[in-house]
Amino acid sequence: MTSIKDSFYAELKSVNSLNHLSDLKVKYLGKKGIITSEMKSLSSLPVDERPAHGKKINDLKTSIEAEIDRIESELKNRELKTQLLSESIDVTLPGKYTLFGTEHPINRTLSEIVDIFVKMGFSIEEGPEVELDYYNFEALNFPKNHPARDMQDTFFVSDNTVLRTHTSPVQVRGMEKRNPPVRFIAPGKVYRCDADMTHTPLFHQVEGLMVDRHITFSNLKGILVAFLHQMFGAETPVRFRPSFFPFTEPSAEVDIGCIFCKGSGCRVCKGSGWLEILGAGMVNPRVFEYVKYDTEEFTGFAFGMGVERIAMLKYSIDDIRLFFENDIRFLRQF
Ligand code: FA5
């Protein structure tokens, strides 16, 4: 019995893992283990020796079980500690840097413009960028060979197809689709063969159109002044200058007081104290005739603005090309 005990303790000393301990447990306490076979051999002893020997085996079994339980919980603790150490997180380490994109300044400006008009009850209308001559010019009262067609620096796709030079064709398409009253804006890309510090071949415009009974120039002024005050601040001066567009009569160009020099005159406003911001006017009855609106019953106003122009003023950017160069150092500032 003593030799079993000694060999158990000797083996236990070298145990250093739960697997190893489990092997030892099977060796001594398993069905075919040393202690179990000792128990079985009791029957070969003389009857009077059996109780004393049986007790010894039982005592040994109990102490082996206790010892195995003790070592098992020690090993479990040790393994847990090792696991916790290897899985611990150093919260003082710097985080992993992820590069986030930001909204492009043109999209941001466009959303701002759209939001203001949507709150004023305008819906959103879309039209194709590859447009028929009819919608881009003809139905907007630009007759064939009208000098204004040339003024627009048109990209022709074919004799009667162009890349739209403005968003005004959406006015015609929108009115063809429905009867008055109408009130929508049409944001989108437009194209002109033009490139310098303030012009690019692709840029964005937002068109606006409102047609109903009794619409007057005062309504146009009210809406545009409200828009410009929300966009540039309530103190911004606004003025309307007479101008010409074939599809509006009368027509106006709208200026805001220079936001750089506050009207005293600077390089940006070329000393005038004013910055041109959009074109507008009362819809020319000839356009209504193309879409078969009753020119006696209905009047309307339209306006169109360059989004890049507004973004340049809002963010004090003096070269329009920066918007399209995708220089991350520029874009990151927004
Ligand atoms: C028009 O395009 C008219 N369709 C606007 C209009 C609509 C008037 C409805 C009346 C009623 P204009 O050609 O002026 O107008 O262009 C409008 C704005 O587009 C300009 O004020 C300017 O901000 C912008 N713009 C024009 N050409 C370029 C260009 N090449 N690059 C960037 N912006 C431009």
Side-chain angles (χ1 to χ4, degrees), residues 252-297:
E253 237 142 7
V254 182
D255 301 338
I256 56 169
C258 180
I259 49 175
F260 298 101
C261 64
K262 304 281 175 245
S264 60
C266 67
R267 192 177 64 89
V268 183
C269 63
K270 300 196 178 83
S272 73
W274 294 94
L275 294 164
E276 184 201 315
I277 200 97
L278 53 86
M282 298 305 291
V283 179
N284 191 321
R286 286 178 185 239
V287 177
F288 283 158
E289 282 165 16
Y290 276 99
V291 297
K292 302 191 172 51
Y293 276 13
D294 186 340
T295 54
E296 293 299 317
E297 197 178 353

Side-chain angles (χ1 to χ4, degrees), residues 8 36 87 99 116 175 179 187 206 295 306-307 324:
F8 170 74
T36 321
E87 287 176 2
L99 209 59
I116 295 172
M175 285 192 281
N179 289 321
V206 176
T295 54
V307 179
F324 300 100

Side-chain angles (χ1 to χ4, degrees), residues 183-198:
R183 180 162 41 164
F184 63 75
I185 53 165
K189 295 190 183 73
V190 300
Y191 303 84
R192 290 185 199 177
C193 188
D194 204 354
D196 58 31
M197 264 177 80
T198 51

Side-chain angles (χ1 to χ4, degrees), residues 166 168 192 199-200 203 205 207 247 276 279 303-304 309 320:
H166 51 174
S168 300
R192 290 185 199 177
H199 298 84
T200 43
F203 61 102
Q205 284 191 341
E207 193 77 11
F247 40 95
E276 184 201 315
F303 56 86
R309 179 104 240 245
I320 193 173

Side-chain angles (χ1 to χ4, degrees), residues 1 20 34 44 118-119 155 164 169 200-201 206 220 242 268 295 301 316:
M1 207 57 64
H20 197 169
I34 295 170
S44 60
V118 165
K119 280 185 195 142
F155 286 111
R164 67 177 180 191
T200 43
V206 176
L220 170 63
V268 183
T295 54
F301 64 74
S316 305

Side-chain angles (χ1 to χ4, degrees), residues 131-244:
E131 184 56 286
L132 292 171
D133 179 287
Y134 176 80
Y135 289 105
N136 198 77
F137 294 125
E138 192 86 32
L140 288 168
N141 195 35
F142 289 85
K144 291 246 185 277
N145 307 318
H146 189 289
R149 290 193 174 198
D150 213 42
M151 235 162 62
Q152 301 245 15
D153 298 314
T154 313
F155 286 111
F156 280 89
V157 178
S158 70
D159 275 354
N160 69 344
T161 323
V162 299
L163 295 186
R164 67 177 180 191
T165 56
H166 51 174
T167 40
S168 300
V170 188
Q171 284 185 36
V172 182
R173 287 181 176 276
M175 285 192 281
E176 275 183 348
K177 275 194 240 167
R178 57 178 81 75
N179 289 321
V182 293
R183 180 162 41 164
F184 63 75
I185 53 165
K189 295 190 183 73
V190 300
Y191 303 84
R192 290 185 199 177
C193 188
D194 204 354
D196 58 31
M197 264 177 80
T198 51
H199 298 84
T200 43
L202 177 157
F203 61 102
H204 298 75
Q205 284 191 341
V206 176
E207 193 77 11
L209 177 74
M210 185 163 177
V211 182
D212 204 344
R213 292 179 186 89
H214 317 301
I215 297 284
T216 67
F217 204 93
S218 322
N219 298 124
L220 170 63
K221 276 186 100 171
I223 293 279
L224 288 180
V225 170
F227 161 71
L228 292 167
H229 281 175
Q230 284 185 66
M231 200 69 196
F232 293 102
E235 306 304 319
T236 314
V238 179
R239 77 172 181 188
F240 286 67
R241 261 184 308 111
S243 184
F244 172 77

Side-chain angles (χ1 to χ4, degrees), residues 1-29:
M1 207 57 64
T2 330
S3 67
I4 296 177
K5 194 175 178 176
D6 289 347
S7 66
F8 170 74
Y9 278 102
E11 284 188 71
L12 193 63
K13 267 187 198 157
S14 63
V15 165
N16 54 13
S17 73
L18 285 167
N19 280 344
H20 197 169
L21 184 69
S22 160
D23 291 345
L24 195 68
K25 191 173 176 179
V26 172
K27 182 172 173 184
Y28 283 87
L29 303 174

